[in-house]
Amino acid sequence: MSTMSISELQRDLYNAEWDRTKLLARHDANMLYEHFEFEQQENPSFKFTFERDDDGRMTSCFWADMTSRKSYQNFGDVVVFDTTYNTNRYSLIFAPILGVNHHGQATLFGCAFLSDETTDSFKWLFKEWLKAMPARPPKMIITDQDLAMTKAIACALPNTFHRYCIWHILNKFSEKIGALPCKEHYDEFKKCIWSSESPEEFEARWADVVGKSKLSNNEWLQSIYKIRDRWILAYMKHIFSAHMTTNQKAEVSHSFFKNYVSQQNSLLDFVTRFDRALSLVRHNELDLDHKDVNEKPVLKTSWLMEKRMSEIYTRIIFYKFQEEIFQIGAYVVTIRHEDEHRCLWNVQRAEMEGSRCREVSIEKSSNLVSCSCKMFEFDGIPCRHMLAYLFRMQIRELPTQYILRRWTKIAKVGKVMDDLGSDGKEIFDSSVLVRRQSIFQFACKVIDDTILSEEGTQVLGEALQSAQKKIAVMRSSRKDGSASSIEVPISLGSQHSFKELLQVKAKGCGKRLKGGKEKAVKKSRKCNGCGRTTREKMVTFGDGDELSKITLGETFSNGMLLPDS
């Protein structure tokens, strides 16, 4: 094939792809709607909704599959919300709603496309999301300091504690207080923010470090101090947060999913690629479920409580609990005060100068144990101070009120009911991992029953050879294309008649706009031979008239002068 024919073929392929892109662009919203309709027909527990403007163009859409809804039922007490950009060719804002599962992994509760980041758009999303979820609103939601989000959450989730991400605030210190004060006092600010265990302690430390840094008049520090109850741990340790202090899980999830999608994707392309990535995430979760069932963690002590909790907690959570129980021998428990209502104990690390003394309180009427460090209330895992008290009282098994179901191996046991009242169909019931585990256990049982006799071994061997041949035939037929596959019926003449989507401009997408000075400064390329720039190397035509000068960086092509680029 000649060079010219290859070039023509490349051009034809490019033109064909361009024509296809333009054709699909006029029907992209309709195709996405029909795709979701098909998903709902296959599984009635799939939920979705679309919004359109007065011109008939899609402005927003929300969707959540069965697995997302079931995840919310099990782990929807804490939610992380953050938007991301550059995931599709229309620059629609992708808005996933996330949480954390019983393995400490990010888990999806639903997704949306939004055409803007206004309060009304966020209110619409939260209300549609709550309608689709099978449980009550979350206890806590973590976001950045977006004003529109804040207003929408106050309206749509009035009983949910709205917390700001500490990571986003800490990242602004250098910019807002200046490089030198940040370098000299940042560690003191961090210690004040992370180590304070009560509002009074935080306020005293904050006043001290602000005074030392001479930043009392800094407007940004004053503004974040006014909203300190939204992001300082000392003000919210009594509220369960699943050990999340930032929305970093959302940031990590965005980074992971962007390996599968690009800003050239149509909406249907995006959803298809996103589902592929999501399947991998969910498979990893099932892999950890499998390990929880079949692998036992190594114990560090001979205590019965540690052994019992290794059987109840997932491996990831058990290791956190194990670290707490392993430390209790280093603590001294002494009674401080007792009256008819409660008893107070001091728990302090022995032989460590300057160690903080924690207060463990026991309510006599309910026999409820709590600690001043608030780890159990905040993380859902008993702290070493509570455990030290329990061992002091010779309580060898952890009382059930201190075991959160969401951290256990049985956290996902249960069903989600669809709108018709029937059991929801779990998408991942037929996953590779579940099928492998089931067939593996069955095969082990059959092998154990047959290896005791030669006759049984021969029967099993013949049966396996027969099954192997049938599977080979089945795989061969699939390669020939005779196997059935599910395809989404897409008709370009959709009855929903969404008009062609337009490009939207969100505040977080696109390239940074350059100022006038940046536009004026253009770096010139240097010659590899003499090292001079193209502006310095001039070729003079004719009599040397300045208007006839061009640079060596300019080239001729097809009789036209092309500028250096």
Side-chain angles (χ1 to χ4, degrees), residues 36-47:
F36 286 160
E37 273 191 329
F38 178 80
E39 291 291 328
Q40 197 171 64
Q41 290 170 8
E42 290 291 299
N43 189 340
S45 295
F46 183 92
K47 304 296 180 185

Side-chain angles (χ1 to χ4, degrees), residues 309-537:
M309 298 317 297
S310 72
E311 299 166 354
I312 294 173
Y313 281 141
T314 61
R315 287 163 59 87
I316 301 298
I317 301 305
F318 170 71
Y319 288 138
K320 293 182 179 181
F321 172 82
Q322 186 181 54
E323 182 59 31
E324 296 302 311
I325 198 172
F326 185 68
Q327 296 289 338
I328 64 176
Y331 285 82
V332 176
V333 182
T334 56
I335 191 165
R336 174 184 167 188
H337 173 75
E338 183 175 8
D339 57 33
E340 57 181 337
H341 301 294
R342 63 175 182 164
C343 185
L344 298 179
W345 294 75
N346 284 341
V347 181
Q348 190 169 15
R349 194 176 185 91
E351 299 179 357
M352 180 177 283
E353 186 177 350
S355 64
R356 190 188 292 261
C357 180
R358 291 335 198 282
E359 182 181 272
V360 173
S361 173
I362 300 88
E363 297 293 333
K364 291 186 176 180
S365 58
S366 59
N367 207 27
L368 184 67
V369 181
S370 61
C371 179
S372 59
C373 76
K374 300 295 181 183
M375 177 177 170
F376 177 69
E377 290 82 356
F378 190 72
D379 291 347
I381 301 171
C383 64
R384 59 193 66 181
H385 319 111
M386 290 174 59
L387 296 175
Y389 165 78
L390 294 177
F391 270 76
R392 173 76 165 72
M393 296 293 105
Q394 298 186 349
I395 300 173
R396 299 307 182 211
E397 292 198 37
L398 189 64
T400 56
Q401 62 263 40
Y402 307 114
I403 304 174
L404 265 63
R405 179 186 172 91
R406 63 134 34 244
W407 293 137
T408 66
K409 297 175 182 179
I410 62 169
K412 297 195 292 186
V413 175
K415 296 179 180 179
V416 177
M417 308 298 284
D418 65 21
D419 293 342
L420 301 177
S422 57
D423 291 347
K425 177 183 173 185
E426 175 61 66
I427 291 176
F428 254 70
D429 280 349
S430 60
S431 69
V432 174
L433 184 63
V434 174
R435 293 198 302 270
R436 181 187 183 280
Q437 183 177 351
S438 175
I439 200 71
F440 180 79
Q441 292 175 345
F442 177 67
C444 288
K445 184 178 184 303
V446 174
I447 291 171
D448 290 341
D449 292 340
T450 57
I451 59 174
L452 297 179
S453 67
E454 291 188 5
E455 183 180 2
T457 302
Q458 184 178 355
V459 170
L460 179 60
E462 292 173 353
L464 288 174
Q465 287 179 353
S466 175
Q468 188 178 32
K469 291 178 181 178
K470 291 180 181 179
I471 291 171
V473 171
M474 179 184 68
R475 295 181 66 181
S476 176
S477 66
R478 285 185 175 176
K479 289 180 181 179
D480 295 337
S482 59
S484 61
S485 61
I486 298 175
E487 294 183 358
V488 179
I490 299 295
S491 61
L492 295 182
S494 173
Q495 60 179 333
H496 311 293
S497 300
F498 289 104
K499 289 188 177 180
E500 181 178 358
L501 287 164
L502 300 178
Q503 194 82 8
V504 302
K505 184 63 178 176
K507 61 185 178 185
C509 65
K511 295 182 179 179
R512 183 176 63 85
L513 297 177
K514 294 184 177 181
K517 290 184 178 179
E518 289 180 283
K519 291 179 180 178
V521 177
K522 180 180 178 181
K523 293 183 179 180
S524 300
R525 291 187 296 181
K526 292 184 177 181
C527 174
N528 290 330
C530 65
R532 289 185 295 170
T533 67
T534 55
R535 294 181 183 275
E536 296 168 338
K537 300 182 65 171

Side-chain angles (χ1 to χ4, degrees), residues 155-173:
C155 180
L157 301 166
N159 298 319
T160 297
F161 184 83
H162 183 196
R163 176 176 172 180
Y164 292 139
C165 171
I166 298 179
W167 180 75
H168 277 98
I169 294 175
L170 290 178
N171 271 358
K172 296 178 182 178
F173 262 75

Side-chain angles (χ1 to χ4, degrees), residues 29-146:
N30 293 325
M31 293 168 65
L32 183 64
Y33 191 99
E34 292 186 11
H35 172 69
F36 286 160
E37 273 191 329
F38 178 80
E39 291 291 328
Q40 197 171 64
Q41 290 170 8
E42 290 291 299
N43 189 340
S45 295
F46 183 92
K47 304 296 180 185
F48 76 97
T49 182
F50 276 57
E51 278 281 291
R52 69 174 77 200
D53 60 18
D54 295 336
D55 295 327
R57 290 187 174 87
M58 186 197 86
T59 56
S60 307
C61 74
F62 164 79
W63 72 98
D65 63 13
M66 178 64 221
T67 307
S68 295
R69 298 177 66 219
K70 186 171 183 178
S71 292
Y72 182 78
Q73 185 179 50
N74 298 323
F75 311 114
D77 39 18
V78 182
V79 167
V80 180
F81 181 67
D82 190 27
T83 55
T84 188
Y85 313 94
N86 300 324
T87 62
N88 58 88
R89 64 172 60 129
Y90 311 104
S91 297
L92 288 171
I93 302 141
F94 181 56
I97 302 173
L98 303 166
V100 60
N101 65 15
H102 55 326
H103 299 297
Q105 297 175 311
T107 186
L108 185 70
F109 296 149
C111 304
F113 281 129
L114 302 174
S115 58
D116 58 47
E117 293 175 283
T118 62
T119 299
D120 288 341
S121 292
F122 288 133
K123 281 167 59 177
W124 174 86
L125 169 57
F126 291 135
K127 288 180 179 179
E128 293 300 326
W129 171 64
L130 286 177
K131 283 194 289 186
M133 294 300 106
R136 61 185 179 274
K139 297 177 182 176
M140 176 182 286
I141 184 168
I142 303 173
T143 73
D144 59 23
Q145 288 177 267
D146 185 271

